[in-house]
Amino acid sequence: MQRYIHATISAFFSWAGNIYDLLIVTYVYYYFQKCLGLNTVEGTLLFALGLIFRVIGGYAFGKIADRRGRKPILAIGTAGYSAFQSLMAFSPNAVILLIARAFQGLFMGAQWTAGTVIAYEQAPPSARGLINGIVQAGYGVGYALTGVAFIVFSQSMGGIGWRLFLLTGSIPIILLPYIILKVTDVKVSRKTISNTNVKEYTKILIRASIVISGMFFSYYSIFAVYPGLAEYLGLSKDFIGLMMTVANIFLAISFIVYGRVADFINKRKLIIYGVIGEMIGLPMMLPIIVKSAELMLIGLLVYSIATGFWPLAPLLIVESVPPEVRSALTGLSYNLGSVVGGVGSITMGTLVQIFGLANSPLFGNILGYSSLLIVLITLLTWPRGTVITKNK
């Protein structure tokens, strides 16, 4: 089996586990409040910590990956976020829970940075968009699995049931033997690293970070409270779990399709089409006037399919910088976007705390459209010929 296949498999599954752990907490805010005393704002802060500390982990571990290789960082990141998920599951109080989440975020950033780059660099040049799409499809699969797990545990969340539900997030640690034994490393010579001027890539870093930040702000300001909103609107736990599962399966498929099409069509234009699609789906999945399960499901599917452009955003960095700084700058750009997404989740949590869940569709539309508009303007004013460097 060719080495890029092992890299793709390990990156895909470790990223799926990463997202599973990031988002599974959104299903148990009630139990955090009941058992650990967290309010809505603190609950979304918990969610945001996973995003905020990813930027630190993405950049710091990315620099190590550029010097020492991607493989050890992929392994360390996967082991780290899995271990701290176990600590979160059995945290005795809110303080330990928040600290565990912060450390988990560091390792989440490490895993994404190393996994994305190692799969891209080992892929055949004619299929890099496809391979990147497959790896990033782990996002949809990871999120879909949270819905499956919620269905399984929905009738037994009392007692320690919700803790066991969270504990399922430690399962990705079983990937370690496969990563260690099957994945081939990618290293860059020290001489090349020392001759690289990072300042040359500042403009592309800023613009790509704006695009990624906008898409994250829109997405996480919505999904930080979406399961709770759906339940508030009268949908059953089983239907919510099914809805999130189906939507994220579509999301994963869309990631792969967008990635493959990007091997032949301009990436910037594809991202623009995706942003427009999200704008179409947003008012249906967050209905302000006509509220129905059918409309929410249709809107969620439209939004999820349109969100398939996400894997292309990191490629704006990956394909524009040399390998010797690729992990550090890609990790910094992507996870800076995560920080802004964390701000979005905290903003929504604060608004819900003050005005209640009943008003979250209104606030979700306002926050979503505002951030997506910024993304659209950035893409429409993108300098021609910015993406110039291909992998060596």
Side-chain angles (χ1 to χ4, degrees):
M1 188 179 294
Q2 297 189 37
R3 66 177 191 171
Y4 79 89
I5 296 179
H6 291 302
T8 302
I9 291 173
S10 62
F12 170 85
F13 282 106
S14 59
W15 178 226
N18 188 327
I19 288 302
Y20 184 95
D21 286 2
L22 176 70
L23 293 165
I24 194 174
V25 298
T26 64
Y27 293 86
V28 291
Y29 285 157
Y30 168 79
Y31 299 97
F32 287 150
Q33 181 178 3
K34 179 181 178 181
C35 303
L36 301 180
L38 269 69
N39 60 32
T40 303
V41 175
E42 292 168 337
T44 50
L45 173 61
L46 174 74
F47 179 79
L49 281 174
L51 300 172
I52 292 170
F53 276 83
R54 278 167 65 158
V55 70
I56 302 173
Y59 184 66
F61 280 104
K63 291 182 70 174
I64 298 173
D66 285 332
R67 288 166 169 76
R68 304 295 183 183
R70 327 296 193 197
K71 175 179 173 178
I73 301 305
L74 175 60
I76 290 170
T78 304
Y81 77 67
S82 300
F84 279 101
Q85 181 68 18
S86 298
L87 179 57
M88 287 177 61
F90 291 101
S91 295
N93 54 55
V95 174
I96 298 299
L97 181 70
L98 291 169
I99 291 174
R101 182 62 160 183
F103 277 98
Q104 184 183 47
L106 293 174
F107 291 103
M108 285 177 168
Q111 181 282 317
W112 182 88
T113 298
T116 296
V117 174
I118 198 171
Y120 173 85
E121 290 181 335
Q122 294 189 21
S126 61
R128 283 180 181 144
L130 173 62
I131 293 301
N132 184 66
I134 291 173
V135 170
Q136 301 310 321
Y139 185 106
V141 172
Y143 203 168
L145 288 174
T146 65
V148 173
F150 187 65
I151 292 172
V152 173
F153 282 86
S154 62
Q155 303 304 317
S156 57
M157 296 288 278
I160 66 168
W162 66 273
R163 293 185 181 274
L164 296 177
F165 173 63
L166 286 178
L167 187 62
T168 59
S170 64
I171 293 175
I173 202 167
I174 66 175
L175 292 171
L176 284 184
Y178 183 80
I179 294 172
I180 293 171
L181 296 175
K182 293 296 184 178
V183 176
T184 303
D185 209 350
V186 176
K187 296 182 180 180
V188 179
S189 69
R190 292 174 180 265
K191 181 179 180 180
T192 306
I193 294 171
S194 63
N195 292 332
T196 302
N197 184 4
V198 177
K199 292 182 180 180
E200 295 179 17
Y201 309 101
T202 301
K203 289 183 179 180
I204 182 64
L205 176 65
I206 292 173
R207 285 184 172 273
S209 296
I210 291 174
V211 172
I212 294 170
S213 296
M215 72 183 197
F216 270 128
F217 189 94
S218 170
Y219 192 89
Y220 286 128
S221 62
I222 297 168
F223 285 97
V225 298
Y226 201 70
L229 170 64
E231 190 169 354
Y232 173 82
L233 294 177
L235 304 185
S236 69
K237 287 184 172 64
D238 286 346
F239 185 80
I240 294 170
L242 178 62
M243 184 169 67
M244 300 306 291
T245 300
V246 172
N248 283 287
I249 289 174
F250 274 87
L251 177 64
I253 295 172
S254 184
F255 277 179
I256 297 172
V257 172
Y258 266 83
R260 185 52 177 165
V261 174
D263 284 322
F264 307 99
I265 297 177
N266 182 276
K267 297 176 180 61
R268 183 181 63 86
K269 290 182 179 179
L270 284 176
I271 296 174
I272 290 174
Y273 299 150
V275 171
I276 293 173
E278 287 187 334
M279 289 179 166
I280 294 172
L282 188 57
M284 291 189 286
M285 67 180 292
L286 292 174
I288 298 175
I289 300 175
V290 180
K291 301 177 180 179
S292 70
E294 293 79 9
L295 183 64
M296 290 181 68
L297 179 57
I298 292 172
L300 182 60
L301 291 177
V302 171
Y303 187 93
S304 298
I305 292 171
T307 304
F309 74 85
W310 274 25
L312 309 184
L315 286 184
L316 296 176
I317 286 286
V318 172
E319 293 188 343
S320 301
V321 300
E324 53 267 24
V325 293
R326 185 169 284 155
S327 286
L329 294 188
T330 303
L332 178 61
S333 177
Y334 190 84
N335 290 296
L336 275 174
S338 294
V339 172
V340 177
V343 173
S345 71
I346 294 173
T347 301
M348 178 60 85
T350 302
L351 291 171
V352 168
Q353 182 72 21
I354 297 173
F355 298 102
L357 268 173
N359 292 297
S360 60
L362 173 62
F363 296 129
N365 277 283
I366 293 173
L367 295 176
Y369 273 109
S370 299
S371 55
L372 290 175
L373 184 60
I374 292 173
V375 173
L376 199 57
I377 292 172
T378 303
L379 291 167
L380 291 174
T381 58
W382 197 277
R384 302 301 182 194
T386 303
V387 179
I388 55 175
T389 305
K390 297 295 181 182
N391 186 45
K392 299 176 181 179

